[in-house]
Amino acid sequence: MRSAQPDAGSADAAQPAPAGRGTGTHWPRLVALAGLVGLAGFAAWKLPLEKLPAWVDQLGPAAPVVAVLVCTVLLCALVPRTAISLGCGALFGAIGGAVWSLTAALLAATITYAAGRWAGRDFVAAHAGDRLARLDRWLARRGLLAVMVVRLQPIAPFGLVGYAYGTSSVRFRHYLLGTALGGLPSSFSYATIGAAAIAPHSLSWLTFIPAATGILISAAAALHWRRQTRTTARPATA
């Protein structure tokens, strides 16, 4: 008989939550998470962007740390990561902007995954239909590669993808590593473009190599999955 005690590594587990567990906490947690995201979004809307360069000069060596914390909150509030990377590039240069924006992305990825798991994992396990359950199993089987391809494509706000993955069966280590690998090319590309807004001479064709690499990786993954699906389906039709 399976133990009823929760696994200490539940954030890293790929097992679905029992359907009937914690049904009374579903909606309060979802409402609490929505409220926190709304507050963070309101704070982002009130942020005086025109003062950021002056603040960076005043903070000196502490500026990157403060910038990472602010960018983390913005990403959790569903601000697009493209804007974050462009802004970091303009404030800290191509290399510094890429490093700090990617650091903020990984912190935000961790927070949104944990928040999504806390607020929505039991809800999804209890109410998911067959189609959503199949998608969840597909993501869990592909793990790292599935996360990396999703992160390579600007298909949804960065934070929203993190919350969604938190409700899934994807293991945390696959999710975080896939986020790092998938976010690396665009972080450098957008930070370089942002830096070019301050120093136009820094922009060259090399800027677009990371983005092109991301497109190639996504295309290769799509072909791999298509070939794998055909290979798996063959015995069933024979």
Side-chain angles (χ1 to χ4, degrees):
M1 184 175 179
R2 186 177 296 177
S3 172
Q5 295 180 349
D7 183 6
S10 59
D12 192 40
Q15 296 297 330
R21 187 177 66 186
T23 54
T25 62
H26 289 164
W27 287 110
R29 290 184 178 187
L30 289 172
V31 171
L33 178 59
L36 290 173
V37 173
L39 287 174
F42 179 77
W45 178 55
K46 288 294 186 179
L47 186 67
L49 297 178
E50 70 280 359
K51 296 182 179 179
L52 290 182
W55 288 351
V56 168
D57 291 337
Q58 293 172 5
L59 290 170
V65 176
V66 175
V68 166
L69 294 177
V70 171
C71 291
T72 298
V73 174
L74 294 177
L75 289 169
C76 292
L78 308 186
V79 173
R81 190 172 68 89
T82 301
I84 299 295
S85 298
L86 288 170
C88 285
L91 293 173
F92 301 107
I95 302 300
V99 170
W100 300 130
S101 64
L102 184 60
T103 301
L106 293 179
L107 286 174
T110 301
I111 293 170
T112 53
Y113 180 94
R117 180 136 300 202
W118 171 77
R121 180 67 184 126
D122 289 346
F123 180 85
V124 170
H127 299 90
D130 291 340
R131 184 173 298 179
L132 187 57
R134 286 197 299 270
L135 175 61
D136 187 46
R137 290 192 296 269
W138 187 89
L139 289 172
R141 285 197 304 270
R142 270 70 182 179
L144 172 63
L145 186 58
V147 177
M148 185 171 66
V149 170
V150 169
R151 288 305 196 189
L152 283 167
Q153 308 301 322
I155 57 177
F158 184 87
L160 184 61
V161 172
Y163 293 124
Y165 265 113
T167 68
S168 75
S169 298
V170 174
R171 295 179 183 274
F172 176 71
R173 62 176 178 268
H174 293 161
Y175 163 77
L176 190 62
L177 182 57
T179 296
L181 295 175
L184 189 62
S186 56
S187 291
F188 277 94
S189 290
Y190 290 129
T192 304
I193 294 172
I198 306 300
H201 64 275
S202 64
L203 187 65
S204 72
W205 64 271
L206 295 173
T207 302
F208 304 98
I209 288 181
T213 301
I215 294 173
L216 290 175
I217 293 174
S218 299
L223 291 173
H224 168 72
W225 288 332
R226 185 177 180 182
R227 185 177 303 169
Q228 190 178 54
T229 301
R230 287 179 175 177
T231 302
T232 305
R234 243 174 241 153
T237 58

